[in-house]
């Protein structure tokens, strides 16, 4: 039997795919994670709404200070009075007279609260409401960092998947061409060609799905950052994943209890509820205000009792004391209500602590598991490459069939896709861990941004990752080979005759059986 023709190296297939990718789309200026995050800060509707809510909460909190500051008012008015005077007794009884006059007044009055416990409690609530607004905004900023990073790495993962599917398509096409040549020279059966054709058609379907997934992920990223046609910068090669420090789950949980904005918000909410109790109790306490005023009243044509024009300048200063005695049990019931709400806020705080601790532990364990998965997949990638080389060599010497090579190729590319996704999950896991314990900042995103390649012109779809070393295959001027299509082979219908059942032999006849 003549030897089977030698297969082309798989790296040549990857190089062909990379050359086709570089030749088809125009080079696009890529953006780093930081650049897209800054774009999202000025465009994302959710974050902009959070910023507007923060400004509104700050303004509402500042209103509480008015209760402890003086209030000043300016008053002015003009009154005209028309009087009809009827004499009922005495001299002139039964006579009537008409009298009209004008009254002009202007004044300025000020009131300064001296002792109002409810107003002071409201003022303290306002300060805590401002801190709550800051905590809510911090949560929105952390959420934006994670959402942008998630969309960023989703696009990179889709690009890797598409590049690997296209590289796999070239490799399967070469295997298909080889199987067809072997069939034409009589060294293999039509089964090899059929299997290669089926695998090639499957890869074509996977390529269509990968292209659609990439377009969808790009739309999500563009809508988030407000930049059409955004192209993320891929990871630098070799990939260096950051590690989570400290490597102690309890340290992360303790840090979350101290710094998480949700816990801080719940703790401040408990303080506000306690101050609400003080406000309710202030319903039994007296109030004391200082009053100061200066008023001018002018009657140029006299008054109802005098025809002489007058002007009165009155300066007043005083203190107003008020002591509530009975309000229909409203104050007592209000105190009971606020005490119950304070207990509710205390339960909310405890529930928030538990939820944050649980989320932090889950995020830490997920990150540790993801890092271990990356190492396992790196070992699986090397093993899959060795298995593919062995099956390819066995196919050349005739101890392996075509389906073995195709299965090895599929396993290798699937492992590479899983490895790329696992690396992105680890990068996102670092951010989600810090979001879970409430310490996520832009500096943490900068550490992730440092793992990217240098920004510059990169293809819209990244080159396929080479199977030999897991690195980017350099571009070479290779003309993509034509993909042969094996036509279906007409085979006669298999209609074997019905099997003939043998007739059972006649049982033997025993003559003169022995007597026992």
């Amino acid at each position: 039997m003549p030897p089977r023709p030698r297969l082309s190296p798989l790296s040549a297939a990857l190089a062909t795919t990379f050359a086709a990718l570089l030749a088809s789309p125009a080079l696009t200026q890529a953006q780093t994670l930081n650049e897209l995050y800054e774009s999202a800060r000025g465009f994302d509707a959710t974050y902009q709404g959070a910023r507007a809510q923060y400004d509104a909460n700050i303004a509402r909190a500042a209103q509480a200070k008015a209760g402890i500051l003086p209030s000043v008012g300016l008053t002015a008015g003009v009154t005209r009075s028309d009087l009809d005077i009827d004499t009922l007794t005495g001299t002139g009884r039964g006579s009537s007279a008409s009298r009209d006059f004008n009254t002009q007044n202007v004044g300025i009055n000020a009131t300064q609260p001296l002792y109002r416990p409810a107003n002071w409690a409201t003022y303290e609530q306002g300060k805590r409401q401002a801190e709550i607004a800051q905590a809510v905004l911090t949560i929105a900023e952390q959420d934006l960092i994670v959402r942008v990073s998630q969309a960023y790495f989703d696009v990179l993962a889709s690009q890797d998947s598409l590049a690997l599917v296209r590289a796999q398509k070239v490799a399967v096409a070469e295997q298909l061409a080889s199987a067809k040549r072997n069939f034409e020279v009589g060294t293999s059966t039509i089964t090899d060609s059929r299997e290669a054709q089926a695998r090639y058609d499957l890869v074509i379907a996977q390529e269509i799905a990968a292209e659609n997934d990439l377009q969808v992920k790009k739309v999500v990223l563009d809508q988030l950052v407000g930049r059409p046609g955004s192209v993320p910068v891929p990871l630098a090669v070799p990939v260096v994943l950051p590690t989570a420090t400290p490597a102690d789950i309890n340290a992360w949980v303790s840090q979350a209890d101290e710094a998480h904005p949700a816990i801080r918000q719940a703790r401040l909410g408990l303080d506000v509820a306690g101050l609400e109790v003080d406000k309710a109790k202030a319903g039994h306490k007296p109030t004391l205000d200082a009053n100061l005023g200066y008023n001018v009243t002018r009657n140029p044509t006299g008054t109802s009792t005098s025809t002489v024009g007058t002007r009165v300048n009155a300066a007043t200063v005083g203190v107003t004391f008020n002591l509530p005695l009975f309000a229909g049990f409203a104050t007592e019931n209000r105190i009971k209500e606020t005490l119950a709400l304070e207990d509710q806020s205390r339960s909310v705080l405890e529930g928030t602590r538990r939820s944050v601790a649980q989320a932090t532990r889950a995020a830490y364990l997920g990150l540790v598991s993801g890092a271990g998965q990356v190492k396992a997949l790196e070992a699986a990638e090397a093993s899959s490459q060795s298995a593919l080389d062995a099956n390819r060599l066995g196919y050349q010497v005739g101890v392996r069939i075509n389906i073995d090579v195709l299965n090895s190729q599929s396993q290798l590319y699937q492992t590479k896709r899983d490895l790329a996704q696992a690396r992105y999950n680890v990068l996102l896991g670092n951010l989600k861990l810090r979001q879970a314990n409430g310490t996520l900042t832009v500096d943490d995103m900068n550490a992730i941004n440092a793992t990217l390649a240098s920004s510059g012109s990169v293809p819209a779809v990244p080159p396929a990752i080479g199977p030999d070393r897991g690195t980017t295959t350099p571009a070479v001027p290779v003309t993509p080979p034509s993909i042969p299509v094996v036509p279906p082979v007409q085979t006669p219908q298999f209609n074997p005759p019905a099997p003939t059942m043998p007739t059972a032999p006649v049982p033997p006849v025993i003559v003169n059986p022995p007597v026992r």
Side-chain angles (χ1 to χ4, degrees):
M1 178 182 293
R4 296 176 183 269
R6 182 178 179 82
L7 297 179
S8 301
L10 194 57
S11 58
L14 295 171
T16 302
T17 303
F18 182 46
L21 291 175
L22 288 178
S24 56
L27 294 180
T28 309
Q29 188 71 21
Q31 300 87 33
T32 62
L33 181 59
N34 284 347
E35 293 174 350
L36 295 181
Y37 170 73
E38 291 300 328
S39 298
R41 279 177 60 90
F43 182 80
D44 182 61
T46 302
Y47 179 72
Q48 292 299 316
R51 292 274 318 174
Q53 184 64 47
Y54 169 76
D55 295 337
N57 292 339
I58 292 297
R60 184 184 301 113
Q63 298 173 21
K65 193 175 183 180
I68 63 174
L69 296 178
S71 58
V72 182
L74 176 66
T75 60
V78 176
T79 304
R80 177 178 177 82
S81 302
D82 293 330
L83 306 177
D84 291 329
I85 304 173
D86 295 329
T87 304
L88 300 179
T89 60
T91 305
R93 178 180 179 181
S95 63
S96 61
S98 298
R99 176 75 176 153
D100 56 9
F101 61 91
N102 295 329
T103 301
Q104 304 169 357
N105 62 79
V106 62
I108 183 170
N109 298 274
T111 301
Q112 171 62 56
L114 298 180
Y115 180 73
R116 283 185 174 269
N119 290 14
W120 279 99
T122 302
Y123 171 63
E124 293 296 330
Q125 284 180 329
K127 292 192 295 185
R128 285 159 178 78
Q129 291 289 352
E131 296 179 13
I132 290 176
Q134 181 61 54
V136 173
L137 181 61
T138 300
I139 294 176
E141 291 176 345
Q142 293 179 353
D143 177 69
L144 179 63
I145 292 175
V146 173
R147 287 191 292 117
V148 172
S149 301
Q150 181 74 60
Y152 186 95
F153 290 119
D154 282 347
V155 173
L156 290 182
S158 296
Q159 289 178 347
D160 290 345
S161 178
L162 178 57
L164 287 168
V165 168
R166 288 179 176 176
Q168 184 180 6
K169 181 179 71 172
V170 176
V172 172
E174 291 188 355
Q175 195 71 17
L176 174 59
S178 175
K180 182 180 179 182
R181 289 193 299 268
N182 292 338
F183 174 72
E184 291 175 350
V185 299
T187 58
S188 67
T189 64
I190 191 61
T191 303
D192 287 348
S193 299
R194 292 290 180 84
E195 290 172 346
Q197 182 68 53
R199 189 61 56 89
Y200 178 78
D201 295 337
L202 177 62
V203 173
I204 291 296
Q206 293 174 351
E207 181 184 16
I208 295 174
E211 289 176 348
N212 178 74
D213 182 70
L214 177 58
Q215 295 300 323
V216 171
K217 296 299 175 54
K218 282 187 173 182
V219 169
V220 173
L221 180 61
D222 293 346
Q223 183 178 2
L224 180 60
V225 302
R227 297 180 60 167
S230 56
V231 179
V233 176
L235 296 180
V237 177
V239 179
V240 179
L241 300 178
T243 58
T245 54
D248 182 10
I249 189 173
N250 294 324
W252 287 95
V253 175
S254 300
Q255 190 179 30
D257 188 71
E258 298 174 0
H260 200 285
I263 294 180
R264 187 166 67 253
Q265 178 184 358
R267 189 179 293 115
L268 290 170
L270 178 60
D271 294 342
V272 171
L275 291 170
E276 194 67 27
V277 175
D278 296 340
K279 287 173 60 177
K281 292 180 179 179
H284 290 308
K285 297 179 181 180
T287 61
L288 186 64
D289 299 330
N291 302 313
L292 179 65
Y294 185 80
N295 296 273
V296 177
T297 303
R298 184 172 179 268
N299 299 107
T301 59
T303 64
S304 61
T305 59
S306 174
T307 59
V308 179
T310 61
R311 173 176 174 172
V312 179
N313 299 332
T316 60
V317 60
V319 177
T320 302
F321 175 82
N322 183 29
L323 177 62
L325 298 178
F326 181 71
F329 303 104
T331 303
E332 288 81 0
N333 291 320
R334 175 60 180 164
I335 292 175
K336 293 179 181 179
E337 177 191 0
T338 54
L339 287 174
L341 293 176
E342 184 182 20
D343 291 339
Q344 181 191 26
S345 298
R346 189 174 291 107
S347 299
V348 170
L349 173 59
E350 184 61 27
T352 303
R353 283 175 172 170
R354 296 174 184 176
S355 299
V356 168
Q358 178 182 358
T360 302
R361 293 180 185 275
Y364 181 85
L365 295 176
L367 179 59
V368 173
S369 175
Q373 187 180 11
V374 168
K375 294 181 180 180
L377 287 172
E378 288 175 348
E381 180 187 22
S383 301
S384 299
Q385 181 63 53
S386 299
L388 175 59
D389 295 339
N391 280 281
R392 191 169 59 191
L393 179 61
Y395 180 69
Q396 294 173 2
V397 299
V399 296
R400 284 289 186 268
I401 60 177
N402 190 45
I403 191 63
D404 295 331
V405 179
L406 294 174
N407 290 336
S408 298
Q409 289 176 352
S410 298
Q411 179 180 349
L412 175 61
Y413 286 111
Q414 183 61 45
T415 303
K416 287 184 174 297
R417 283 194 292 269
D418 294 342
L419 176 57
Q421 185 63 56
R423 286 169 174 166
Y424 297 137
N425 290 340
V426 169
L427 293 175
L428 285 171
N430 278 275
L431 299 178
K432 291 182 177 180
L433 173 59
R434 287 166 173 80
Q435 182 191 27
N437 83 328
T439 60
L440 180 61
T441 62
V442 179
D443 294 335
D444 299 318
M445 189 180 62
N446 293 338
I448 302 300
N449 196 77
T451 63
L452 304 178
S454 300
S455 59
S457 296
V458 297
V461 178
I465 299 177
D468 298 329
R469 295 293 184 268
T471 59
T472 302
T473 307
V476 293
V478 180
T479 303
S482 58
I483 307 300
V485 179
V486 178
V489 179
Q490 300 295 333
T491 57
Q493 188 175 5
F494 181 67
N495 291 320
T500 302
M501 301 300 296
T503 304
V506 179
V509 179
I510 302 176
V511 182
N512 298 327
V515 179
R516 298 183 178 181

